[in-house]
Amino acid sequence: MGILNTGYNYFDTVVDNGGGSTAWVKQSGASTLQYGVQVIGDTDVYIYQFGNMTPSGNGLKLTNINSINIPNGAAIKGVDVRLHVSSNYGACNQRTKDTLVQLIVGGSQQGTNKGNAVCLDSQTFASQYYGGSADLWGTILTPNIVNASDFGLMLQFDRSDASSANQSVNLDYVGIDIYYELSGMFLTL
């Protein structure tokens, strides 16, 4: 039957996971979702403002994928994540970096960290992609795992220059796309 995918879905549960100096803050807009993790077209932004002299930011834990229902018996083939993110500094030695982009399986971080510690590209929002249609992030995934409310994503950003104050990460979209195959499954009519 070939490879299918869910399309980008957002997360219904978003929490500040600590570990840094200050909490993530929601800048309100029209969205009904919390923390600005949103469907495209909404206006919330979720901001992390680094504390003075603190290089590491708090983690952001996203779980409970909205409207996902992969059929039992399907083979999970890959996970693709899209972030729409910006940083407020232009010079790479002062920008923030994505140091942790990792799946949450059964409520805990597992598999390969896809954070590449490369400076965020833009002071305006730009898309960053992680994983892909054939990338399982070093995990074994099943429909029961990805359909569960405790499956998701952990994000963390660090800043390049701990001596510069007022650096921030602005995150206005996080989407996850699950690729799967139904081969060997039969429909009963």
Side-chain angles (χ1 to χ4, degrees):
M1 178 170 236
I3 304 293
L4 303 170
N5 68 307
T6 61
Y8 286 109
N9 289 283
Y10 58 90
F11 299 86
D12 282 335
T13 306
V14 183
V15 295
D16 185 300
N17 205 52
S21 61
T22 57
W24 285 84
V25 174
K26 175 183 174 181
Q27 187 175 55
S28 294
S31 175
T32 58
L33 299 175
Q34 57 181 331
Y35 304 122
V37 180
Q38 61 190 9
V39 180
I40 295 172
D42 289 339
T43 59
D44 286 354
V45 177
Y46 199 46
I47 298 173
Y48 186 82
Q49 180 74 44
F50 287 92
N52 217 6
M53 302 296 290
T54 305
S56 293
N58 282 15
L60 187 64
K61 185 176 184 179
L62 305 100
T63 55
N64 197 15
I65 301 172
N66 182 276
S67 301
I68 192 165
N69 187 18
I70 296 175
N72 286 331
I76 307 299
K77 297 297 186 179
V79 177
D80 183 30
V81 168
R82 175 183 170 213
L83 306 181
H84 200 228
V85 64
S86 70
S87 176
N88 68 331
Y89 271 70
C92 188
N93 67 342
Q94 295 177 326
R95 282 195 203 153
T96 53
K97 298 179 179 185
D98 56 348
T99 54
L100 181 64
V101 180
Q102 192 171 25
L103 294 181
I104 296 173
V105 177
S108 63
Q109 293 170 229
Q110 292 187 22
T112 305
N113 174 10
K114 298 289 183 177
N116 53 27
V118 172
C119 294
L120 297 178
D121 289 338
S122 181
Q123 289 179 280
T124 59
F125 284 105
S127 292
Q128 301 285 329
Y129 294 90
Y130 307 87
S133 62
D135 188 342
L136 292 173
W137 298 51
T139 64
I140 297 171
L141 300 173
T142 66
N144 286 340
I145 290 171
V146 299
N147 290 336
S149 63
D150 60 1
F151 177 77
L153 188 66
M154 180 69 77
L155 303 175
Q156 185 172 6
F157 299 90
D158 293 349
R159 66 181 182 182
S160 303
D161 180 5
S163 65
S164 296
N166 301 319
Q167 291 182 349
S168 65
V169 173
N170 307 297
L171 182 63
D172 79 339
Y173 177 82
V174 179
I176 188 166
D177 191 358
I178 310 294
Y179 290 81
Y180 61 98
E181 187 172 28
L182 299 176
S183 63
M185 295 182 68
F186 301 97
L187 294 174
T188 304
L189 301 176

